[in-house]
Amino acid sequence: MSPLIPLLVLNAIRGVGSIRARHLIDAFGSAEAVLEADSNVLLQAGAVGQMILDGRKDTRLFDDAQRELEFIEAHHIKPFVFGQEGYPKRLLKCPDAPTVLFKLGDIDLEATHVISIVGTRQCTQYGRDIVHRFVKELNETLSNVIIVSGLALGIDVESHKAALESGIPTLAVVAHGLDRIYPNNHRGIAKEMIKQGGGLLTEYVTSAPFERGNFLARNRIIAGLADAVIVAESKEKGGSLVTASIALDYGRDVFAFPGRISDDRSNGCNRLIRLNRAGLITSAQDLIEAMNWQSACKSAAIQQTLNFEEDHVSPLGRKILDIIRDRGDLRLSQLCDILPNTERTALLEELLDLEMSDKIRNTPGGLYQLR
């Protein structure tokens, strides 16, 4: 029996879920060992133990798992098991990461720069235009990048289209098994994504029920896979804001494009920026500088270096620049500790001068870094 069968069965037992499944596998050593465990031992686990006892008697779960294995093999789908070879490294530190993932296509999930773009399904022409321009700029400036989204209507599909136009591999994280595409009229785009080196990724098997909650659950994968999550256009409430919130919980960087204050489909982005939960960006270069990705740029013009001998930089300014160059990004409090004889007010004034002269920048997280 394939080791994937007991894992699929364990995942399919109602009430277990990814977190419990991973804890059980850690405790027993494998999914197969969980299903074969002594009844008395399982009952010590309480309700979840009873769920497993009931589930392992259900032959339909094993039949479904066998059919799923045959489907995977027939369609050249690659399964990835948490903690094993091939599982996306960025997801490993996410507490609610899926136990198993299924990938269709040859896209490299370990690309150097993974950017997730999300937004409203009811996007405006402004939202479409800014996404296409942004992705085009990324392709012109940044190496080894992939675009991740959810293949939904609106900003999601525009992100995939923009990536296809620019020749960037793009990944769709879908909320269903790989036997279907939702919405159905995006099948052609999905095929083109795979053809151009992209792919589809899901945690759901073909027999899993198609439920609204799946779409919210898949948002954590879109967030966890990324180095940076960008909200392109969003209302005050919506799935893209959920994705941004999850990304922040995971320690990912979140950015948003600002919109008109009169447009309700920009209210979510503007609010994220106002609450300092997302950095404001208007271009690919803004993102590259915020993420400190200048060294990976294709164009040397984007890579800005500082001349530390410039006459118009004050002695204190030059000292600050030297400190940040030697020690990396620093907060104001850290600079105060390093320069105890410098008044905080004087330090703030000098930092502002350095920002205004484009020598440093202050990130959304309060870190000062070289431009």
Side-chain angles (χ1 to χ4, degrees):
M1 180 173 65
S2 166
L4 193 59
I5 295 290
L7 183 59
L8 293 174
V9 171
L10 182 62
N11 248 13
I13 295 174
R14 183 173 293 276
V16 174
S18 292
I19 297 176
R20 283 176 172 169
R22 280 166 41 199
H23 288 167
L24 287 164
I25 291 169
D26 287 342
F28 287 87
S30 69
E32 184 176 10
V34 174
L35 295 179
E36 294 179 351
D38 183 86
S39 300
N40 292 326
V41 174
L42 286 174
L43 288 174
Q44 292 177 16
V48 68
Q50 187 62 57
M51 293 173 190
I52 294 166
L53 287 173
D54 294 339
R56 70 185 185 183
K57 297 175 185 176
D58 189 346
T59 58
R60 293 173 300 178
L61 296 182
F62 288 87
D63 292 340
D64 288 345
Q66 181 60 44
R67 281 193 293 271
E68 192 66 25
L69 181 62
E70 293 168 1
F71 177 84
I72 288 169
E73 292 174 346
H75 293 86
H76 309 289
I77 293 167
K78 299 174 184 176
F80 299 123
V81 178
F82 185 90
Q84 296 185 14
E85 183 180 358
Y87 194 92
K89 291 184 175 66
R90 289 173 176 86
L91 283 177
L92 288 174
K93 294 182 180 180
C94 300
D96 52 356
T99 312
V100 61
L101 288 164
F102 308 96
K103 187 185 78 167
L104 182 60
D106 295 326
I107 191 166
D108 178 14
L109 300 180
E110 306 302 335
T112 308
H113 311 104
V114 182
I115 300 169
S116 291
I117 303 177
V118 296
T120 179
R121 284 175 167 81
Q122 299 171 332
C123 66
T124 65
Q125 190 59 48
Y126 165 79
R128 295 186 189 95
D129 291 344
I130 203 167
V131 165
H132 282 259
R133 189 188 73 187
F134 174 77
V135 174
K136 182 176 182 290
E137 291 173 355
L138 275 179
N139 182 55
E140 293 170 349
T141 56
L142 195 61
S143 302
N144 197 10
V145 58
I146 67 172
I147 301 296
V148 177
S149 199
L151 201 60
L153 295 168
I155 292 297
D156 281 22
V157 75
E158 292 300 328
S159 301
H160 296 307
K161 288 178 180 178
L164 290 173
E165 291 169 3
S166 296
I168 295 178
T170 181
L171 175 76
V173 182
V174 296
H176 46 72
L178 294 176
D179 58 332
R180 70 182 81 181
I181 292 295
Y182 179 85
N184 187 60
N185 60 348
H186 289 173
R187 292 183 68 86
I189 295 170
K191 289 180 180 179
E192 192 62 28
M193 288 165 59
I194 294 170
K195 182 180 177 181
Q196 291 194 27
L200 307 176
L201 187 74
T202 187
E203 64 177 311
Y204 297 103
V205 295
T206 57
S207 59
F210 188 56
E211 298 175 337
R212 186 170 183 268
N214 295 0
F215 290 90
L216 289 175
R218 67 92 182 267
N219 289 345
R220 78 192 195 283
I221 303 175
I222 293 175
L225 284 172
D227 299 305
V229 172
I230 298 171
V231 185
E233 195 175 34
S234 175
K235 294 184 178 181
E236 193 76 29
K237 295 181 180 179
S240 55
L241 297 186
V242 173
T243 306
S245 180
I246 295 170
L248 290 169
D249 288 342
Y250 287 165
R252 305 299 192 262
D253 289 283
V254 176
F255 301 90
F257 292 115
R260 293 171 297 186
I261 60 174
S262 59
D263 193 334
D264 69 334
R265 280 166 287 191
S266 287
N267 286 347
C269 290
N270 293 340
R271 186 169 185 271
L272 285 173
I273 294 167
R274 186 175 72 251
L275 297 178
N276 204 30
R277 291 177 64 80
L280 186 156
I281 59 170
T282 60
S283 66
Q285 184 169 344
D286 287 349
L287 175 71
I288 289 166
E289 290 178 355
M291 296 297 294
N292 202 22
W293 284 344
Q294 292 92 329
S295 61
C297 288
K298 298 175 183 177
S299 171
I302 298 258
Q303 301 178 43
Q304 300 180 25
T305 57
L306 288 167
N307 179 1
F308 292 92
E309 302 304 323
E310 289 179 303
D311 292 336
H312 62 270
V313 177
S314 71
L316 177 57
R318 194 169 293 117
K319 187 179 292 185
I320 292 171
L321 293 173
D322 286 337
I323 290 169
I324 296 176
R325 179 181 57 179
D326 293 341
R327 304 196 185 194
D329 302 349
L330 294 170
R331 299 182 187 280
L332 174 60
S333 59
Q334 293 171 305
L335 285 167
C336 288
D337 292 339
I338 296 168
L339 299 168
N341 297 323
T342 304
E343 291 185 4
R344 185 184 182 91
T345 302
L347 192 55
L348 276 170
E349 290 176 353
E350 193 61 44
L351 287 167
L352 180 58
D353 286 344
L354 291 171
E355 280 191 80
M356 296 299 291
S357 59
D358 232 20
K359 298 294 184 296
I360 64 172
R361 70 181 304 276
N362 189 2
T363 71
L367 289 169
Y368 288 96
Q369 61 182 209
L370 301 180
R371 279 193 178 275

